[in-house]
């Protein structure tokens, strides 16, 4: 199984005997499998809203959910905090609310992903913490708690993650979602070049909060159906809100799905701004290539893919392999817009 330094660090206090594993199990927020074995951790409930990580946990035999059970509390809560500060603070405050009386919270992060900041934030809510450093990570855990030491601060931090209006009220978004506080420049460039003659059944791969899908429906009146595929459940719920008005005139599908494993049906047109970073922010051009392969397999004869990507990303070979015609439509501000057409 692949290693994950933050996961290894998170479980270090338990493996070393500094903390004991509760008989009632534990809650693991933003869980990742890493090299963990499910049988080692009886009663562990994993929560993960990112579909590829969710699927990896499930395939590893873990009990995994998209959301935590809101009414249940735990003697031990484990957390891999996200990088975005507001999202991380909101999740940290929420995690403390899942503790049973006398419970402990443990978090871990890589040093280059804000480990000291997360440790400091935990101290602000929970008082003095114990700390270990290993695997270029820091792991911090609380004393037994009966909730956050500063309930007012915790309540304020929980609200940091609340959905809010962006782009002059055109969309609702929230911290942690891709380009959460703006219209992404690459997606905006693609939206501006979408041709009005795209028609039939369409899909948006990596739909985020729905920016590209909304543009497609506005610019292309002959779209008869649109399916949105998004790996992050938090973003997909925002897309449902942002496209509620369009759903009155065009059938819409919202799919919590890892595009990299392929699509379940065929389409006449596909739009996409593929991801090119993994959860740890390392560059992953293979993700975009997998999106291109999935689009090529799902498009019907003469089906069209409209794609935007950073100009330096090496997608040309994947496009040439899957499509009969490929052309660069526009290049600006470090982005390229490409149209690719399936063979007849």
């Amino acid at each position: 199984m692949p290693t994950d330094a933050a996961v290894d660090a998170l479980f270090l206090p338990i493996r070393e005997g500094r903390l004991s594993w509760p008989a009632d199990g534990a809650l693991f927020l933003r869980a990742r499998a890493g090299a963990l074995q499910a049988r080692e951790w009886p009663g562990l409930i994993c929560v993960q809203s990112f579909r590829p990580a969710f699927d990896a946990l499930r395939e590893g035999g873990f009990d995994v959910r998209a959301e935590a059970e809101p009414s249940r509390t735990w003697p031990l809560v484990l957390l891999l905090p996200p990088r975005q500060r507001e999202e991380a603070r909101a999740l940290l405050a929420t995690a403390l609310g899942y503790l049973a009386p006398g419970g402990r919270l443990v978090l871990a992060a890589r040093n280059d992903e804000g480990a000291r900041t997360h440790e400091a934030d935990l101290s602000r809510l929970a008082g003095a913490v114990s700390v270990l450093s290993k695997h270029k990570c820091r792991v911090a855990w609380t004393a037994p708690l009966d909730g956050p030491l500063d309930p007012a601060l915790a309540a304020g931090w929980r609200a940091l993650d609340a959905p809010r209006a962006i782009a002059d009220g055109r969309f609702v978004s929230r911290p942690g979602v891709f380009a959460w506080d703006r219209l992404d420049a690459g997606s905006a460039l693609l939206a501006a070049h979408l041709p009005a003659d795209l028609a039939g059944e369409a899909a948006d791969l990596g739909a985020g909060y729905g920016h590209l899908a909304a543009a497609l429906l506005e610019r292309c009146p002959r779209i008869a159906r649109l399916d949105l595929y998004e790996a992050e459940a938090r973003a997909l719920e925002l897309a449902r809100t942002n496209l509620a008005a369009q759903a009155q005139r065009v059938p819409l599908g919202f799919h919590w799905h890892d595009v990299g494993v392929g699509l379940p049906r065929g389409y006449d047109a596909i739009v996409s701004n593929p991801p090119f970073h993994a959860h740890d922010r390392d560059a992953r051009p293979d993700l975009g290539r997998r999106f291109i392969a999935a689009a090529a397999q799902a498009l019907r004869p003469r089906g069209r893919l409209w794609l935007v990507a950073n100009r330096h990303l090496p997608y040309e070979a994947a496009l040439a392999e899957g499509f009969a015609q490929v052309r660069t439509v526009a290049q600006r501000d470090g982005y390229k817009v490409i149209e690719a057409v399936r063979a007849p």
Side-chain angles (χ1 to χ4, degrees), residues 24-76:
D24 294 337
L27 180 68
F28 187 2
L29 300 174
R30 297 297 168 90
R32 299 195 298 267
L36 296 178
Q37 298 290 328
R39 63 179 179 273
E40 292 184 89
W41 312 104
L44 180 64
I45 301 296
C46 298
V47 177
Q48 177 55 259
S49 60
F50 185 58
R51 191 65 197 238
F54 177 99
D55 289 342
L57 286 160
R58 185 171 59 182
E59 290 167 8
F62 292 92
D63 187 340
V64 56
R65 326 279 175 85
E67 296 180 336
E69 186 178 341
S71 59
R72 185 172 177 182
T73 58
W74 300 84
L76 180 66

Side-chain angles (χ1 to χ4, degrees), residues 140-316:
W141 64 96
T142 69
L145 294 174
D146 292 325
L149 299 184
D150 189 336
L153 180 63
W157 282 9
R158 282 194 297 272
L160 292 174
D161 189 32
R164 67 204 66 180
I166 65 164
D168 298 323
R170 289 173 58 194
F171 298 100
V172 173
S173 186
R174 67 192 302 182
V177 172
F178 171 69
W180 76 270
D181 57 350
R182 65 192 184 279
L183 298 182
D184 171 67
S187 295
L189 183 64
L190 176 55
H193 286 85
L194 289 175
D197 65 345
L198 290 177
E201 297 183 311
D204 180 357
L205 309 187
Y209 60 75
H211 172 200
L212 264 180
L216 182 67
L217 293 174
E218 290 168 4
R219 295 176 64 89
C220 307
R222 294 169 55 202
I223 295 295
R225 173 189 173 89
L226 177 59
D227 285 336
L228 287 77
Y229 292 91
E230 171 54 46
E232 177 51 64
R234 299 169 68 250
L236 194 64
E237 287 306 308
L238 295 167
R240 289 181 185 274
T241 299
N242 290 325
L243 273 72
Q246 288 90 332
Q248 304 302 312
R249 63 180 184 85
V250 178
L252 300 178
F254 297 88
H255 305 278
W256 185 44
H257 184 76
D258 177 8
V259 170
V261 303
L263 303 181
R265 63 189 308 272
Y267 294 98
D268 303 298
I270 290 176
V271 298
S272 184
N273 181 356
F276 60 94
H277 288 105
H279 67 82
D280 55 9
R281 303 295 177 176
D282 290 339
R284 289 282 305 278
D286 61 295
L287 296 176
R289 291 193 289 267
R290 288 164 58 192
F291 269 54
I292 291 168
Q297 291 169 3
L299 281 167
R300 297 170 179 139
R302 299 188 186 278
R304 297 155 73 186
L305 167 66
W306 280 76
L307 171 87
V308 67
N310 288 58
R311 190 179 297 173
H312 70 277
L313 290 172
Y315 291 159
E316 282 69 23

Side-chain angles (χ1 to χ4, degrees), residues 327-339:
R327 68 184 181 102
T328 299
V329 177
Q331 296 190 67
R332 192 177 72 206
D333 301 328
Y335 297 98
K336 55 188 175 186
V337 172
I338 295 170
E339 181 192 34

Side-chain angles (χ1 to χ4, degrees), residues 38 77 105 171 196 274 301 325:
V77 176
L105 173 64
F171 298 100
Q325 302 173 42

